[in-house]
Amino acid sequence: MKMFLQMCLISLVVIGLNCQKKGSTEKELVKIGRKVFTQQDYDAFQQMRMNYPMRMTGIFPGNRSNITFMVETEVVYREKARGSEIYREVINGDDLKWKKKFYPAQLYLRDILDRNLGFSNDKIKEYYNKHKSRFKDTVKVYDTLKVAKTEEEMEDTSDTGTSKDSLVARDSVYTKALVQVRPEIVEEMFVKENPPSPEHYEKFVAENDSTQIDSVKAHKEWIYSIKNDLPTFFMKKTYKEIYKEEFPESMSEWYGKGKKITPDDMEVILGWIPEAQREHYREDSAKIKNLAEWLLKWELFSKRAEDIGYSTTQEMKQILDWVEKYDVTDKYIEEKLYEKAEEAVTLDTAMCMYAFWDDRGAYNPPPDTEALKKAFERYNEKEVEMKLEGKIYEMRSKAGVSFLQEDFNDEKDKDPDTLLAKANTARDSGKTDEAENLYSTLVKSFPFTEEGHEALAEYAKIQTEKERYHKAIRNYRKYLMLGDAGSTKKCNTFFMVGFIYDEYLSKPEMAEINYKWVLEHSPDCELADDAEFMVQHLDEPMTSVEELRGEAERQGRIIEDTEPVEESSVDAMKEEAAETQS
């Protein structure tokens, strides 16, 4: 009965694990239009991204999360890229053809050659079932047995029991699970199929018998030596199996025009290498040989993957499908969308100058021309990327994206207008942390919207309150550079930046250029007089409103008598700027 119950329990656990496994692979994650994408789709996309043979562009995916990257690849591919001339160009190009050899070959190298020393999981399982009797083991099992008491114990009236428990040991024979003996099986199969040379065995004569070979040690050393350069070993082995001849010593036998690997193939793969390094490969014969051998490995291993059905599995089909989608989408974004985004950007060089000085941390004209040029290019690129994000977001909104799991989502399915309203309510209610999180979401996920632009200034105010001054300045400056802030808000923002430099960072020269912008470009704004006063008293401590009132009277300005004398001038100005900006 015990054994029966144990078997039932084990069966239930196995069924539960199988159901869990099935559920995990078929879990629905996101719906795009009418199509639902599952955990399997996501896992295949991850495999595509992790094994991509070249560096993905900074434009796309940029800093997207994995789920956002997958969603927006699908959206742009479906909405625009698939129907463009770029689609035909990519799917008929040699670059994608080589990637469709590369993926099966690389994953075959990882899963079959490296993990299994060349054997499929089915072959290993078949070997295990055929030799199960060899994998038996014995373990001690202790059963509980009821035994009668001794006469002395029975005379003890304080114990009313009639028997006592005793543990009885016995041997139980069981068969080890495949997972326990898998490494042993793989190595045994490998040595049978790829035996060491007689010369190798001679090095492992047993110490106690000059005629006895320590085969266990010999086989371990043999496998260890193969694993040191496993890809090359299997390249030569597969070459011999496919072409019925030994792998040639001379590279010219298989590399060259009209050969198994051609210079045109090499040019395709050189395109996967960073441009700055390509010339080193062309000039270095050893690097060319190494790269050519990798092309040959991908050619050979992809054929082997096809032979055993590895390249036609559902998982591999999904991976290659994502490779095609990404290549088409990325090229479309780079050649079409990015160009349109560039056309929509007009860089405000005057605003960029202030950002340049912020980055340098000092005002020291005239700036280095080359450094300024690079900075302007960087600012322009950021603004283009923002416009590009907006174009992708428009497609995504039309496509209809619905996340189906809490663990797999992003913020872009939310309404930016609703987020801003919640953030402002939290701010007005004194829930600063909540407001900060909401403003941060708007800034990161919706920088191309009016709500995202407005959130920059509000986010900067909170960062100022929390004494994160450099971050506050950076967001204030983005607010000025990206989007139209309007003359009044520009005035207030410049004043706030000057104020931070002046009061909190002790950089009067940086404060001055921001205050002076207010005086030169917005002399009629409410903070112009304050900016003038601050310029006249840079790097001077101001501790009371009485002092401020005295200075103002000397300048012919009027200060209301109702203003509380205990309030500091810096706090008053700060609040005035913040309220005016709001």
Side-chain angles (χ1 to χ4, degrees), residues 547-565:
E547 181 180 349
L548 175 62
R549 182 180 289 111
E551 292 291 341
E553 288 173 355
R554 286 192 289 276
Q555 294 176 28
R557 294 168 52 211
I558 299 174
I559 299 291
E560 296 292 338
D561 289 338
T562 56
E563 188 171 1
V565 296

Side-chain angles (χ1 to χ4, degrees), residues 28-46:
E28 295 181 348
L29 302 186
V30 61
K31 188 176 181 182
I32 304 175
R34 294 182 179 180
K35 185 173 179 180
V36 173
F37 292 82
T38 66
Q39 183 75 47
Q40 267 189 334
D41 296 304
Y42 180 80
D43 292 343
F45 184 83
Q46 286 291 82

Side-chain angles (χ1 to χ4, degrees), residues 137-162:
D137 201 358
T138 303
V139 64
K140 287 287 184 187
V141 176
Y142 294 89
D143 293 330
T144 304
L145 183 66
K146 295 285 185 179
V147 295
K149 293 186 174 184
T150 64
E151 290 183 7
E152 292 80 4
E153 289 172 326
M154 292 180 70
E155 290 176 0
D156 183 1
T157 57
S158 63
D159 187 357
T160 58
T162 58

Side-chain angles (χ1 to χ4, degrees), residues 470-489:
H470 291 288
K471 289 182 178 180
I473 289 172
R474 196 153 45 242
N475 281 321
Y476 273 132
R477 199 66 74 191
K478 285 180 183 177
Y479 177 76
L480 292 167
M481 292 171 64
L482 308 176
D484 184 12
S487 59
T488 299
K489 290 189 175 181

Side-chain angles (χ1 to χ4, degrees), residues 451-502:
E451 293 84 0
H453 183 240
E454 185 177 337
L456 276 167
E458 298 301 328
Y459 192 23
K461 290 177 192 175
I462 293 175
Q463 288 173 320
T464 304
E465 291 171 9
K466 293 190 173 184
E467 300 182 0
R468 298 198 289 266
Y469 302 122
H470 291 288
K471 289 182 178 180
I473 289 172
R474 196 153 45 242
N475 281 321
Y476 273 132
R477 199 66 74 191
K478 285 180 183 177
Y479 177 76
L480 292 167
M481 292 171 64
L482 308 176
D484 184 12
S487 59
T488 299
K489 290 189 175 181
K490 278 184 180 179
C491 164
N492 301 330
T493 304
F494 266 100
F495 183 89
M496 287 299 295
V497 173
F499 198 84
I500 292 171
Y501 275 126
D502 187 12

Side-chain angles (χ1 to χ4, degrees), residues 69-345:
F69 183 24
M70 185 186 84
V71 166
E72 295 184 358
T73 296
E74 176 67 23
V75 165
V76 178
Y77 175 81
R78 182 191 298 184
E79 297 295 314
K80 294 290 183 180
R82 182 173 53 183
S84 68
E85 67 277 10
I86 286 174
Y87 171 80
R88 292 181 291 276
E89 181 185 334
V90 171
I91 64 169
N92 293 321
D94 290 334
D95 186 80
L96 184 58
K97 287 177 184 176
W98 263 106
K99 283 173 185 166
K100 288 190 173 182
K101 291 179 182 180
F102 167 83
Y103 271 91
Q106 278 295 100
L107 298 181
Y108 173 83
L109 173 59
R110 183 195 70 187
D111 295 338
I112 306 299
L113 301 184
D114 189 28
R115 291 179 184 169
N116 295 346
L117 289 176
F119 302 101
S120 67
N121 291 328
D122 289 340
K123 285 289 183 184
I124 295 169
K125 189 174 182 180
E126 181 185 332
Y127 188 93
Y128 169 76
N129 290 330
K130 190 176 179 180
H131 300 87
K132 259 188 177 180
S133 59
R134 289 179 43 208
F135 305 119
K136 292 188 179 297
D137 201 358
T138 303
V139 64
K140 287 287 184 187
V141 176
Y142 294 89
D143 293 330
T144 304
L145 183 66
K146 295 285 185 179
V147 295
K149 293 186 174 184
T150 64
E151 290 183 7
E152 292 80 4
E153 289 172 326
M154 292 180 70
E155 290 176 0
D156 183 1
T157 57
S158 63
D159 187 357
T160 58
T162 58
S163 64
K164 65 179 181 179
D165 294 343
S166 176
L167 294 178
V168 178
R170 63 181 174 83
D171 289 337
S172 176
V173 178
Y174 76 100
T175 302
K176 293 180 181 178
L178 174 57
V179 68
Q180 291 177 279
V181 295
R182 185 187 182 90
E184 176 187 338
I185 289 174
V186 167
E187 292 186 359
E188 191 172 297
M189 292 173 69
F190 179 81
V191 171
K192 282 184 178 179
E193 191 167 301
N194 307 280
S197 65
E199 292 78 16
H200 175 81
Y201 277 121
E202 289 175 4
K203 297 184 291 184
F204 297 95
V205 175
E207 294 179 3
N208 58 347
D209 187 346
S210 60
T211 64
Q212 183 78 20
I213 293 175
D214 188 345
S215 59
V216 173
K217 192 172 182 180
H219 293 164
K220 289 289 183 186
E221 287 293 320
W222 169 241
I223 292 168
Y224 178 77
S225 67
I226 297 301
K227 285 184 174 180
N228 278 336
D229 193 1
L230 199 71
T232 299
F233 173 83
F234 278 106
M235 176 188 71
K236 293 179 178 180
K237 175 182 168 66
T238 310
Y239 187 96
K240 184 177 180 180
E241 290 170 350
I242 292 176
Y243 299 114
K244 312 303 178 187
E245 62 182 24
E246 296 290 340
F247 181 73
E249 290 295 327
S250 173
M251 178 179 163
S252 62
E253 293 290 317
W254 53 269
Y255 175 73
K257 193 172 182 179
K259 302 289 178 64
K260 295 174 179 65
I261 304 298
T262 69
D264 288 341
D265 295 328
M266 181 69 76
E267 283 302 312
V268 172
I269 307 307
L270 283 170
W272 298 356
I273 296 170
E275 191 172 352
Q277 300 175 21
R278 290 174 200 167
E279 286 307 312
H280 295 299
Y281 274 86
R282 291 191 175 96
E283 295 167 0
D284 190 326
S285 58
K287 285 186 176 181
I288 283 289
K289 182 176 183 296
N290 182 264
L291 187 56
E293 284 189 356
W294 272 108
L295 268 70
L296 183 61
K297 288 165 190 168
W298 297 328
E299 181 74 42
L300 297 172
F301 296 163
S302 62
K303 286 180 180 178
R304 273 290 171 259
E306 187 176 355
D307 291 342
I308 67 169
Y310 181 81
S311 59
T312 56
T313 61
Q314 180 64 20
E315 180 187 12
M316 186 60 67
K317 286 179 180 178
Q318 286 178 307
I319 292 170
L320 294 178
D321 187 45
W322 280 120
V323 172
E324 181 178 302
K325 284 181 179 180
Y326 172 72
D327 276 17
V328 173
T329 299
D330 182 54
K331 195 172 182 66
Y332 180 83
I333 287 174
E334 186 178 353
E335 295 187 7
K336 298 294 183 181
L337 286 189
Y338 193 83
E339 184 178 323
K340 290 179 181 178
E342 279 186 311
E343 292 171 358
V345 169

